[in-house]
Amino acid sequence: MHPAASVILFTVTSGMGYGLLALLAVLGSLGMLPPDPGLGLAGLGTALALITVGLLASTFHLGHPERAWRALSQWRTSWLSREGVLAIMAYPPAVLFGGGWVLAGRTDGVFALAGWLTALLAVLTVCCTAMIYASLKPIPQWRNRWVMPGYLAMALATGAAWLALLASVFGIGRGLTDIIAILGLGLAALVKLAYWRHIDSAAPIATAAAATGLGGLGQARLLERPNTQENYLQKEMGFRVARKHANRLRRLVLIGGFGLPLVLILAASFLPAAMSIWLLALALVGVTIGALVERWLFFAQAKHTVTLYYGAATV
């Protein structure tokens, strides 16, 4: 599939924001992150800003952005619509939870309930984002059991990287947030390895013979291109990335996006706060670049069954 920049930006920034928002809400509601105006304002502000930037970026992927509001009415049948509805529903409890944390210095009672609701809606929104792709039967690289765990793990890892940096800046919950970030990065790396192994080894779901109905006559293959220039379907549904380039990019994600940040966060946990901030900032840069490359690969390596009519032997 064509890796559109707006969708990559949307899925990465919104996942990062929802991961950070869910972690702040859960840890705050459990009392593991004490109320602090600085951390609350910076953390929740960053999370909501990332989510808002992602949602705005997604509207630019639509042919008519001015009609984006209509997508919200199709929540009964559309995962995209459910994602939009849940994303909007997450704002009020997040603001209430943030108000308790920043203004009243409290994360108990009604503020704790708002925190749990915020975390639940954040996780459900990321699940809906994953289901937009996992529900598409003609694209085997998306319709498999590793897509949703991949989206959730990446949201946890990227959000935890932000939280570790902010906790170090404000000197609150440093050890805990470092451990969460290290575990999140390790989990995300394992899930992505499993996902890539799956799409590399899975049997094809369709062949040119099955697509054309000519399998009974022998081996079906393309004699001539159906058109002299590439059309929309070929550009959008059959984006090609060479295997050697894909392997290089996967190594970049594993080393630069997961491995190096994990080592930096581990080293930062043994250093004074003033020095650890720089290492955690570098770790966040690595995680962000890795997440962008990972998401680019997620789209670029996906192939629609319609490409069987344009020369692909199997999908």
Side-chain angles (χ1 to χ4, degrees), residues 212-278:
T212 58
L214 299 175
L217 302 177
Q219 184 178 1
R221 60 184 177 85
L222 185 69
L223 292 178
E224 293 288 346
R225 292 169 59 92
N227 43 2
T228 57
Q229 292 183 328
E230 284 194 344
N231 59 23
Y232 168 79
L233 291 176
Q234 290 168 285
K235 293 177 182 177
E236 190 69 20
M237 309 294 185
F239 188 86
R240 296 177 183 177
V241 53
R243 188 178 183 84
K244 64 178 182 180
H245 296 317
N247 289 336
R248 289 174 184 167
L249 292 174
R250 287 180 182 182
R251 286 195 293 271
L252 173 63
V253 173
L254 290 175
I255 297 173
F258 298 132
L260 183 59
L262 193 151
V263 172
L264 290 172
I265 294 172
L266 185 61
S269 64
F270 294 100
L271 297 174
M275 297 178 65
S276 70
I277 291 174
W278 293 102

Side-chain angles (χ1 to χ4, degrees):
M1 302 292 288
H2 176 66
S6 57
V7 178
I8 293 172
L9 180 63
F10 158 62
T11 55
V12 170
T13 56
S14 65
M16 194 177 281
Y18 283 121
L20 175 59
L21 185 63
L23 286 171
L24 286 170
V26 170
L27 296 177
S29 299
L30 290 174
M32 301 175 78
L33 279 180
D36 179 81
L39 178 61
L41 188 62
L44 293 171
T46 301
L48 294 177
L50 288 168
I51 292 168
T52 303
V53 168
L55 293 175
L56 290 176
S58 69
T59 61
F60 290 101
H61 189 64
L62 302 175
H64 293 278
E66 73 278 7
R67 302 175 187 171
W69 62 272
R70 293 184 177 178
L72 301 178
S73 64
Q74 306 303 311
W75 57 271
R76 294 181 182 82
T77 56
S78 167
W79 285 108
L80 187 149
S81 181
R82 292 165 188 160
E83 175 198 44
V85 171
L86 290 173
I88 294 173
M89 288 175 62
Y91 279 90
V95 171
L96 177 59
F97 175 73
W101 195 345
V102 175
L103 300 179
R106 294 177 53 190
T107 56
D108 58 346
V110 66
F111 301 115
L113 290 176
W116 284 110
L117 182 58
T118 299
L120 176 63
L121 290 170
V123 171
L124 290 177
T125 304
V126 175
C127 289
C128 286
T129 304
M131 284 305 299
I132 292 172
Y133 307 102
S135 63
L136 298 176
K137 293 182 180 180
I139 307 176
Q141 291 80 10
W142 290 353
R143 187 176 172 79
N144 63 71
R145 63 182 180 276
W146 290 107
V147 169
M148 184 176 290
Y151 269 74
L152 290 171
M154 288 300 295
L156 171 63
T158 54
W162 264 107
L163 181 59
L165 174 60
L166 293 172
S168 184
V169 170
F170 292 95
I172 297 175
R174 278 194 57 199
L176 174 64
T177 55
D178 289 347
I179 292 173
I180 293 174
I182 291 170
L183 293 177
L185 287 168
L187 176 64
L190 292 176
V191 171
K192 289 312 302 182
L193 281 171
Y195 168 77
W196 287 329
R197 181 177 182 180
H198 174 82
I199 65 173
D200 288 343
S201 60
I205 63 170
T207 64
T212 58
L214 299 175
L217 302 177
Q219 184 178 1
R221 60 184 177 85
L222 185 69
L223 292 178
E224 293 288 346
R225 292 169 59 92
N227 43 2
T228 57
Q229 292 183 328
E230 284 194 344
N231 59 23
Y232 168 79
L233 291 176
Q234 290 168 285
K235 293 177 182 177
E236 190 69 20
M237 309 294 185
F239 188 86
R240 296 177 183 177
V241 53
R243 188 178 183 84
K244 64 178 182 180
H245 296 317
N247 289 336
R248 289 174 184 167
L249 292 174
R250 287 180 182 182
R251 286 195 293 271
L252 173 63
V253 173
L254 290 175
I255 297 173
F258 298 132
L260 183 59
L262 193 151
V263 172
L264 290 172
I265 294 172
L266 185 61
S269 64
F270 294 100
L271 297 174
M275 297 178 65
S276 70
I277 291 174
W278 293 102
L279 294 185
L280 292 170
L282 285 175
L284 179 59
V285 172
V287 169
T288 303
I289 294 174
L292 291 170
V293 176
E294 179 273 333
R295 205 49 51 86
W296 188 90
L297 274 174
F298 177 76
F299 288 99
Q301 291 194 290
K303 188 172 291 185
H304 196 286
T305 50
V306 74
T307 56
L308 293 169
Y309 296 96
Y310 295 93
T314 60
V315 171

